[in-house]
Amino acid sequence: MVAYTIKNYQPEMLESWLRCRALAYMRSSFQDEITAEKETVSNDIGVSLVAIKDQQVIGIAEAIFLDQGQARAASYGLPEGTVL
C-alpha cells in the first residue's frame, strides 16, 4: 500500500508540482499545458490539492469554479447549452 497525504498546494511545492504535471501531460492531448508556471487558484475561485509522498508531489488535482456566464461548452467541444 502506498502511503501519501493530501494537502492544499503551497508555493514551496512548485518544482515537484511542475514535474508531476509535465509527466502527467507528456503523452496526452494536453501537451500544450506543460509550462514552467502554475496558475494561481485562490480558495474563493477553486481548489488546488496535491498528493505528497516523501515530501514530493506525486499527484495533483485542481478545479476552478465557473459561473454560468464564464462556462462556454463550445470551448470544450461540447454542444452549446451543455451545462458544465
Side-chain angles (χ1 to χ4, degrees):
M1 183 172 119
V2 177
Y4 58 89
T5 306
I6 303 295
K7 297 182 176 185
N8 287 316
Y9 169 81
Q10 299 297 317
E12 60 269 13
M13 301 171 179
L14 179 62
E15 288 303 314
S16 60
W17 187 96
L18 289 170
R19 189 171 20 262
C20 186
R21 185 175 184 179
L23 289 171
Y25 286 171
M26 188 178 303
R27 295 185 182 192
S28 76
S29 59
F30 297 104
Q31 289 179 359
D32 59 335
E33 295 290 329
I34 300 174
T35 66
E37 297 178 10
K38 180 188 180 308
E39 180 179 348
T40 301
V41 180
S42 62
N43 291 337
D44 59 329
I45 66 162
V47 62
S48 183
L49 302 173
V50 294
I52 301 285
K53 181 180 179 195
D54 298 329
Q55 299 179 2
Q56 293 291 312
V57 174
I58 61 167
I60 60 176
E62 289 195 335
I64 297 174
F65 310 125
L66 303 175
D67 63 32
Q68 283 199 326
Q70 295 171 305
R72 301 280 181 248
S75 66
Y76 296 98
L78 300 170
E80 250 341 290
T82 301
V83 178
L84 301 178

